[in-house]
Amino acid sequence: MSNQERWTTAEIPDQSKRVFLVTGANSGLGLATTRALARKGAKVIMAVRDEAKGRRAVAQLTAEHPGADLEVRRLDLADLDSVRAFAGQLRAERPRLDVLVNNAGLMAPPRTLSPQGHEVQFAANHLGHFALTGLLLDLLEAGDDPRVVTVSSSNHRQGKIFFDDISGERKYSPMGYYNQSKLANAVFGWQLHQRLTTAGSPVRSLLAHPGYTSTNLQTGAPVAMVKFVFGRLLLPLAQSPDQGALTTLYAATAADVQGGQFVGPGGMAELRGAPTLVKLAPRGADAETGRRLWELSEELTGVRYAFRTAA
């Protein structure tokens, strides 16, 4: 794939009869992704932590596009009990899922623990999505052109997995542990691709990153310095959420993408621009890192993947 200079949401093929699940769908990149998919006829299940905000987002989107087929469901990705309940309900009601967009994320809070005792960025950004994908894998394998798109960040290149201090008990840095979670997203997306391919599964795993995009992830960051740098100082460089979501939408809908590919912006330093293929950091594709993180994620979530081979 070359840099698609003129690629816009107008290029998205018709998505009628296709079912998408987008996490963090009520604001920012998730809302922009949902808007574009709904306009192309997709059924979008909006997984949100705050149902009231989700309902307000639905009202906004249906006012813009009265035919939008949207459904709000509560999901707190930092809480593995919530993930299991969400997946169980979806499995009881739906025979298939076509595309899962692992989009939701937290950025640079003070050290906080999830209900299960994990550092909250690692819990919400990685462990929750790892568990959700595994619990819904059979629905995806029954889907039409099924895909998992995991949203990472260019920050994955600065990341390190702190296997000896995974929850920051000894030494915590808000951005250091954010970068860890984004590297974990990248490692997961690549490992999932490898394992799906080995199994002969019809599901494709892709990665995307939005570049630098103005969302409440930055402007609402609870750490003052992070909020100042990303929410004010660098804001003139930022894309809109609609622009930032293009990479995710390309990975989720374009006919020419392949499993294992990483879609990012094609402009300077991958900060902004049209969708293009970008490189995964060597750590993201490192086999030993992938093995250790996968095994740790299984241990911490209790979710073990059952890959079904293609017919």
Side-chain angles (χ1 to χ4, degrees):
M1 174 183 121
S2 61
N3 191 346
Q4 303 293 322
E5 292 293 346
R6 298 185 182 277
W7 197 89
T8 68
T9 54
E11 311 300 318
I12 298 174
D14 178 54
Q15 300 297 310
S16 298
K17 300 182 180 179
R18 288 172 61 71
V19 181
F20 289 72
L21 170 58
V22 180
T23 67
N26 61 279
S27 65
L29 293 166
L31 181 62
T33 300
T34 299
R35 175 185 290 112
L37 293 170
R39 284 177 173 170
K40 290 293 181 173
K43 162 78 174 183
V44 185
I45 301 167
M46 302 170 66
V48 301
R49 189 171 51 181
D50 186 323
E51 286 185 272
K53 290 182 179 178
R55 288 191 293 270
R56 288 197 291 271
V58 168
Q60 174 188 336
L61 294 177
T62 52
E64 297 170 2
H65 184 66
D69 187 358
L70 305 169
E71 178 182 329
V72 173
R73 294 191 181 220
R74 186 181 182 277
L75 171 63
D76 182 354
L77 283 157
D79 183 350
L80 291 168
D81 291 339
S82 175
V83 175
R84 285 187 178 278
F86 176 94
Q89 184 179 20
L90 201 65
R91 289 164 55 87
E93 296 174 8
R94 292 200 162 270
R96 66 168 231 274
L97 177 66
D98 299 312
V99 181
L100 169 59
V101 179
N102 289 324
N103 163 80
L106 298 175
M107 182 179 181
R111 184 172 182 267
T112 311
L113 298 183
S114 74
Q116 287 76 33
H118 309 306
E119 189 275 320
V120 74
Q121 294 180 95
F122 190 69
N125 297 2
H126 169 62
L127 291 177
H129 283 127
F130 177 92
L132 181 68
T133 305
L135 292 168
L136 297 180
L137 188 60
D138 58 344
L139 294 190
L140 285 159
E141 288 176 326
D144 174 27
D145 185 18
R147 308 181 191 192
V148 177
V149 180
T150 301
V151 180
S152 181
S153 164
S154 59
N155 281 48
H156 87 279
R157 299 189 178 102
Q158 285 79 54
K160 178 183 177 182
I161 307 296
F162 303 113
F163 286 110
D164 59 346
D165 191 19
I166 202 71
S167 279
E169 185 176 358
R170 294 198 293 275
K171 186 178 180 181
Y172 178 76
S173 146
M175 282 305 297
Y177 276 75
Y178 173 73
N179 293 345
Q180 171 181 250
S181 74
K182 292 290 102 180
L183 175 58
N185 288 152
V187 172
F188 166 63
W190 176 252
Q191 278 293 309
L192 182 60
H193 161 65
Q194 298 285 322
R195 291 161 192 258
L196 289 166
T197 301
T198 299
S201 172
V203 182
R204 282 184 276 179
S205 171
L206 296 106
L207 286 159
H209 87 78
Y212 183 43
T213 303
S214 175
T215 71
N216 61 9
L217 194 68
Q218 292 86 17
T219 58
V223 174
M225 182 54 71
V226 174
K227 185 173 183 176
F228 173 74
V229 172
F230 290 95
R232 292 185 62 186
L233 192 63
L234 298 179
L235 200 58
L237 301 176
Q239 310 185 91
S240 71
D242 286 339
Q243 292 171 312
L246 290 178
T247 54
T248 297
L249 289 162
Y250 199 104
T253 67
D256 64 345
V257 294
Q258 300 174 19
Q261 290 182 331
F262 193 1
V263 184
M268 183 184 68
E270 298 176 23
L271 290 173
R272 57 192 299 135
T276 194
L277 294 184
V278 298
K279 290 185 178 180
L280 186 63
R283 282 178 179 165
D286 179 72
E288 179 62 12
T289 300
R291 181 193 66 77
R292 290 183 70 188
L293 182 64
W294 194 277
E295 291 177 359
L296 177 65
S297 302
E298 287 185 332
E299 177 187 338
L300 296 181
T301 64
V303 174
R304 283 169 174 76
Y305 281 55
F307 295 99
R308 185 185 307 161
T309 57

